[in-house]
Amino acid sequence: MCFGPELAAAAEAVGSTLTTVAPYAAAASTAASVYQNQRAAKAQAEAQSQALEAERTRQQGLQHQADAEIGKVTAQFDPAAQEKALADAQAARTTAATGAIKPIPTDNYQTPTASAPVEVKNDLQRQVSDSLSKATRSAQAQAVLKAFGDQQLGANININRASQRVGQLQNFSQGSSSLVPLDIAAAHAAGNGNLENADIYNVAGSIANLYGNTRKKPTPYGGYPVDGGGNLQFDP
Amino acid sequence: MCFSKPSIPDTAAQAREDEDAREAAISAGTDTVNQNFAKFTPSYYGGIADAFRKNYQPQVDQQARDARRATTFRFANNPNSSAANRVAGQLEGDYATQSANVGSGALDAENTAKTSVEGERGQLLNLVNAGSGLSNVAEQSSNFASGFNPPASYSPLSDAFAKYTGALSGAATAQQAGYAPNPFFQKQVDFLRGSPAGSSRTIGGG
């Protein structure tokens, strides 16, 4: 018993069917590949967006901290605050200087004598009082002058400290932002699975296409209808 | 058919962890420096000012006493003169000025110490921010904070009352000892002496 002709016919039928189906399989694979590509692109875009959003949040937080530091230090330049700081500095200086003024520690050596006329004693009182008044006024004036330096020193210390803190925040900001390229690279890797699938579908589609093309009977005249004798049929 | 995913080393996550660790180290270093410098309070600086006053005010007091003694001797022949009163008044004024200078100088010493401490603190924080070893910075800040005793030495007060105890009294003494008077000093000695011994004449001062 020989099934040769039947098998050949069956194979021919299957081949014919595959040939018919191949273009559809190729189209389906291409569609799947496109879909997977789109999914990959979407996953990448989402991952990138998340990475950028996270960095933006970090930078915003650091900026808020820096703003707060700068706000605190610039508040001292408010006219009222400056006036108060200067007044405090002047009061402190004046107290330190004039508070130290006192009569010379007494001892047994002094003029005038105890028996001196009252005019002489009064004159001494006046001389001493005048000198002390002058010295006190001078000390007060000097205290007011030096208080500007005291206030400036206090302000400078605050500015330097704020500058150090802001510098540190800037350091953190730069450190974080320098990692953004790596974050984006990682985001691109997020769609790799879909891209692999897309590649597989793409290859499968190419194979199906190739199979369909190799099994296709030659169509002379670019597939235009021919008659039994192979001649082109034209519609009148 | 099996398609294994290629192993992508998550260097981004690792780098982010490293950065977090770096920032944490800087924050910890800053905290350490701040803790070691916490002793530099207004009270601490007030102590420096107080030390300055305790060093210099007794010197001023002593010099003033010496000057007063010198002027008392100088006017021993005419203690009840307006000239003696004027000099006594000037001496009181000069003493007041010197005392005020000590009080003000105490604040200057305080400010100098503040500047020094803040400068050192800033340098240490720069080291922290630059990523210097935390233990190194901690040790440095601790050493500075514990060893800071400004100022290292106080210079002695110069003779603030030399005009009472120096040249003039020296000239008067020399003249009394029989030396020829120096014309320049003589006028001032005469002025300081005022009226003849025993006189109690009062001249309006100013």
Side-chain angles (χ1 to χ4, degrees):
Chain A
M1 194 172 176
C2 179
F3 295 102
E6 288 80 357
L7 280 175
E12 179 62 27
V14 169
S16 175
T17 305
L18 284 177
T19 305
T20 309
V21 169
Y24 298 108
S29 290
T30 303
S33 174
V34 168
Y35 173 69
Q36 292 294 336
N37 266 322
Q38 285 176 343
R39 283 190 63 186
K42 189 180 175 190
Q44 287 173 347
E46 281 177 356
Q48 185 170 323
S49 174
Q50 282 172 0
L52 291 176
E53 179 60 23
E55 180 59 19
R56 192 185 71 84
T57 305
R58 266 192 299 274
Q59 293 291 338
Q60 209 170 36
L62 292 169
Q63 184 64 51
H64 284 159
Q65 289 181 57
D67 288 346
E69 294 292 347
I70 292 168
K72 273 192 285 187
V73 78
T74 50
Q76 72 180 0
F77 295 112
D78 175 73
Q82 271 190 306
E83 206 170 305
K84 183 184 181 308
L86 183 59
D88 290 347
Q90 286 176 347
R93 264 290 166 181
T94 305
T95 302
T98 60
I101 293 176
K102 61 183 190 297
I104 296 175
T106 54
D107 53 28
N108 293 326
Y109 303 93
Q110 54 187 336
T111 57
T113 58
S115 59
V118 69
E119 291 83 1
V120 173
K121 290 179 177 174
N122 288 343
D123 178 58
L124 176 68
Q125 290 290 331
R126 188 176 59 78
Q127 297 275 6
V128 169
S129 176
D130 284 355
S131 287
L132 285 179
S133 294
K134 285 176 187 171
T136 302
R137 283 198 301 274
S138 172
Q140 285 170 338
Q142 199 176 42
V144 169
L145 274 177
K146 285 198 163 191
F148 286 101
D150 295 342
Q151 186 212 8
Q152 195 61 52
L153 176 67
N156 284 344
I157 287 174
N158 289 336
I159 289 169
N160 285 340
R161 287 183 174 183
S163 171
Q164 284 157 3
R165 285 192 290 267
V166 170
Q168 196 170 81
L169 291 168
Q170 189 182 23
N171 182 336
F172 292 171
S173 168
Q174 286 172 345
S176 182
S177 64
S178 70
L179 299 180
V180 168
L182 281 176
D183 288 339
I184 289 175
H188 276 290
N192 280 356
N194 296 110
L195 282 178
E196 286 161 13
N197 291 340
D199 287 344
I200 292 166
Y201 286 123
N202 205 16
V203 169
S206 299
I207 292 169
N209 255 333
L210 189 63
Y211 177 81
N213 288 339
T214 53
R215 295 285 299 172
K216 208 182 283 179
K217 286 181 179 174
T219 52
Y221 307 116
Y224 283 102
V226 293
D227 61 13
N231 300 316
L232 273 170
Q233 297 292 303
F234 294 103
D235 284 338
Chain B
M1 194 171 177
C2 178
F3 292 94
S4 62
K5 290 184 179 178
S7 173
I8 301 174
D10 199 353
T11 52
Q14 184 58 52
R16 187 61 70 180
E17 279 179 22
D18 293 347
E19 173 61 15
D20 288 346
R22 188 185 74 88
E23 292 179 9
I26 288 174
S27 296
T30 303
D31 289 345
T32 302
V33 170
N34 287 338
Q35 281 165 14
N36 285 331
F37 277 67
K39 67 180 258 190
F40 298 111
T41 59
S43 168
Y44 178 89
Y45 292 118
I48 290 173
D50 199 39
F52 184 95
R53 277 188 288 267
K54 282 180 177 168
N55 179 66
Y56 281 113
Q57 191 60 50
Q59 294 182 46
V60 172
D61 292 349
Q62 184 58 51
Q63 289 189 12
R65 273 197 293 270
D66 290 346
R68 190 171 201 179
R69 191 176 292 116
T71 55
T72 302
F73 282 133
R74 188 184 307 162
F75 291 101
N77 291 333
N78 49 357
N80 300 331
S81 65
S82 58
N85 284 350
R86 187 178 295 113
V87 171
Q90 285 173 349
L91 179 58
E92 284 287 350
D94 286 346
Y95 173 70
T97 298
Q98 289 299 329
S99 296
N101 286 344
V102 169
S104 188
L107 288 193
D108 290 340
E110 193 178 322
N111 286 347
T112 302
K114 277 182 191 172
T115 305
S116 174
V117 167
E118 285 299 320
E120 186 69 23
R121 185 176 166 281
Q123 284 185 0
L124 287 169
L125 287 180
N126 284 342
L127 287 176
V128 169
N129 284 333
S132 290
L134 180 58
S135 58
N136 179 35
V137 172
E139 189 182 342
Q140 281 189 50
S141 60
S142 176
N143 287 344
F144 176 83
S146 59
F148 184 72
N149 289 306
S153 63
Y154 288 113
S155 56
L157 187 71
S158 60
D159 189 356
F161 303 95
K163 66 181 178 182
Y164 301 101
T165 59
L168 290 181
S169 62
T173 303
Q175 193 178 341
Q176 283 167 358
Y179 289 96
N182 180 312
F184 173 72
F185 288 124
Q186 183 59 52
K187 287 182 183 176
Q188 297 175 70
V189 169
D190 290 344
F191 171 77
L192 286 174
R193 279 179 169 172
S195 57
S199 166
S200 59
R201 183 162 56 97
T202 300
I203 303 168

